[in-house]
Amino acid sequence: MAVATHRLDYLSDVLDEIRQQGLYRDLRVLQGEQEAVASFDGREVINLSSNNYLGLTTHPKLRRAAVEAVEKFGVGSGAVRTIAGTMALHEELEERLAAFKHTEAALTFQSGFTANVGAISALLAPEDVVISDELNHASLIDGMRLTKAARKIYKHKDMDSLEAALRESGDFRHRIVATDGVFSMDGDIAPLPQIVELCERYDAVCYVDDAHASGVLGQNGRGTVSHFGLDGRVDVQIGTLSKAIGVMGGYVASTRNMRNLLIHRARPFLFSTSQPPAVTAACIAAIDVLETEPELIERLWDNTRYFKQGLESLGYDTGTSETPITPVIIGEAKPTMEFSDRLFERGVFAQGIGYPTVARDRGRVRTIVTAAHTQDQLARALEVFEAVGREMGII
Ligand SMILES: Cc1ncc(COP(=O)(O)O)c(C=O)c1O
């Protein structure tokens, strides 16, 4: 049957508008493995665009665990967790995650995105209020939009603004303060000790999305709570299994009650099929690696310091970054995308990011170094940043 394409013709106008803003992108296609030097669109490039912080996407222990799980358990779980899709592997991973995060319990989701959407929307009722940092991740924002709870946004990392919102929130039944642990576009770290103190003073639940901190910050990569020595004082920690862990999925680490509530109320958990066994087994192997190979995290931080310093000494604006995520801020979307394209042509892949992901005048290429990069590769990438920056008059 012919498709009635004319009814979707208006989409061309929407796409034209995206093109006019300089934000239209074709997807870059990876040939082969997600590594420090990888092949995208047929070109070998130094890869500064993945979240594969520790190089675990190709770690032999994770590969082996995944292959063995396929052979033993097949390729799919066949159902949602609440019907027939809970496998012993899921529960094993959850016990490992709870022990790793020093929490009573953990529950896994299909992604970090669904963990946030599920947890925030399950926690909040119309009588509650969520108080959220203005730069929180889209998955937190979408979770909030799914609830009928009141919403207050505080200025990025501004504790006066947070306190003012808490002071105005005394009449709500429950208050929840939500923050990213590491902010994904700027690479800065939330002031968690002060947030925790304010939550304690105003009797608010403290909710931290640690997607970019797990595997990166804290003892063995336990995240921002460990980094700041705040064990037992943060109520809900979200993690992803898709970034430093190198696989796919997300989790909520919290109390046993929270876990039980999510099993009954978190819609992505209730209405979407659970992780396949290979994925879960590889995640368990990743926790083994975090616990036994701390040198990977040391290498990640050595590389981070080296590269960040290199960009700064070239004269680039790297914003407020404190982690392996280092933005190079260019400004408007068009020159940002051109900068990214020119880097790519010369063998460096650093994705350009523009509005609405970041403010209109804060377009940037976002760089992420990993433990798997060699300093030679990073030195080469810095040479390319220098050449392109001079060519375009940015530095
Ligand atoms: C802060 C933050 N939270 C959650 C997510 C979602 O994680 P996932 O990719 O596992 O869905 C991301 C990933 O982009 C993120 O940056």
Side-chain angles (χ1 to χ4, degrees):
M1 206 175 77
V3 180
T5 48
H6 60 284
R7 283 201 288 271
L8 290 175
D9 282 353
Y10 70 94
L11 295 183
S12 302
D13 297 338
V14 180
L15 289 168
D16 282 345
E17 207 181 307
I18 296 172
R19 278 191 194 93
Q20 273 162 23
Q21 292 165 345
L23 292 169
Y24 188 86
R25 307 302 291 167
D26 288 316
L27 301 176
R28 293 224 186 268
V29 180
L30 170 65
Q31 286 91 29
E33 302 191 337
Q34 183 70 267
E35 289 192 302
V37 173
S39 178
F40 284 90
D41 293 349
R43 185 186 291 266
E44 193 176 270
V45 287
I46 299 168
N47 180 7
L48 298 175
S49 288
S50 89
N51 300 308
N52 184 23
Y53 289 105
L54 302 175
L56 298 195
T57 57
T58 53
H59 193 291
K61 283 190 184 150
L62 276 71
R63 261 192 226 269
R64 204 173 322 118
V67 169
E68 281 170 10
V70 167
E71 282 169 358
K72 222 161 148 187
F73 302 111
V75 294
S77 73
V80 301
R81 288 286 297 273
T82 47
I83 299 184
T86 293
M87 306 175 97
L89 275 175
H90 294 130
E91 301 229 311
E92 183 184 337
L93 173 58
E94 285 160 358
E95 279 164 23
R96 292 293 303 276
L97 286 168
F100 184 68
K101 287 282 187 176
H102 298 167
T103 57
E104 251 178 48
L107 192 71
T108 53
F109 284 74
Q110 304 86 348
S111 71
F113 197 103
T114 55
N116 262 328
V117 166
I120 280 280
S121 58
L123 264 178
L124 288 160
E127 311 80 53
D128 302 329
V129 60
V130 55
I131 306 172
S132 171
D133 187 290
E134 67 181 339
L135 294 190
N136 276 345
H137 189 255
S139 51
L140 269 168
I141 296 168
D142 287 7
M144 293 190 272
R145 286 181 177 153
L146 286 175
T147 77
K148 294 198 168 68
R151 270 179 254 156
K152 290 180 191 281
I153 308 299
Y154 65 93
K155 288 197 197 119
H156 181 49
K157 298 205 318 189
D158 181 330
M159 293 300 97
D160 292 336
S161 171
L162 171 57
E163 183 158 17
L166 280 163
R167 219 180 291 121
E168 288 163 12
S169 300
D171 291 340
F172 289 96
R173 189 188 62 171
H174 300 302
R175 288 154 292 285
I176 292 171
V177 173
T179 182
D180 284 6
V182 169
F183 291 87
S184 55
M185 291 300 140
D186 292 280
D188 52 340
I189 304 174
L192 210 51
Q194 292 94 309
I195 294 175
V196 163
E197 265 176 38
L198 285 173
C199 286
E200 287 170 352
R201 191 162 344 133
Y202 289 89
D203 190 26
V205 170
C206 184
Y207 180 112
V208 177
D209 173 3
D210 239 359
H212 283 281
S214 305
V216 174
L217 283 173
Q219 185 207 15
N220 293 82
R222 286 185 162 79
T224 48
V225 174
S226 158
H227 173 72
F228 286 115
L230 295 169
D231 268 344
R233 294 176 68 192
V234 169
D235 304 289
V236 183
Q237 296 179 61
I238 304 298
T240 175
L241 301 162
S242 329
K243 302 188 192 297
I245 299 297
V247 197
M248 177 93 225
Y251 60 93
V252 181
S254 183
T255 61
R256 198 163 304 285
N257 269 347
M258 177 70 177
R259 181 176 190 271
N260 288 337
L261 175 85
L262 293 174
I263 290 171
H264 293 87
R265 290 272 192 277
R267 293 169 69 82
F269 186 87
L270 286 158
F271 297 112
S272 184
T273 297
S274 54
Q275 276 185 337
V279 166
T280 310
C283 291
I284 294 170
I287 298 175
D288 289 338
V289 171
L290 287 182
E291 286 175 343
T292 56
E293 298 181 36
E295 63 275 13
L296 287 176
I297 298 178
E298 281 162 31
R299 216 176 303 144
L300 170 66
W301 279 96
D302 283 346
N303 283 346
T304 297
R305 280 184 285 271
Y306 174 77
F307 194 65
K308 209 185 280 296
Q309 212 169 46
L311 287 172
E312 281 161 11
S313 60
L314 287 174
Y316 280 113
D317 175 3
T318 58
T320 51
S321 168
E322 304 165 81
T323 66
I325 300 173
T326 307
V328 173
I329 296 168
I330 305 294
E332 294 296 319
K334 276 188 184 155
T336 301
M337 297 309 173
E338 188 188 335
F339 184 66
S340 172
D341 287 342
R342 288 201 196 188
L343 291 172
F344 190 80
E345 280 158 23
R346 296 197 185 201
V348 173
F349 181 20
Q351 183 62 56
I353 295 167
Y355 182 80
T357 310
V358 294
R360 279 188 204 279
D361 60 346
R362 300 290 287 166
R364 71 219 33 211
V365 300
R366 186 177 67 157
T367 68
I368 300 183
V369 299
T370 71
H373 287 97
T374 64
Q375 290 213 344
D376 280 353
Q377 289 160 355
L378 297 177
R380 171 77 196 122
L382 287 169
E383 281 168 20
V384 173
F385 266 88
E386 179 169 14
V388 174
R390 294 211 191 287
E391 217 170 79
M392 288 182 65
I394 295 166
I395 50 168

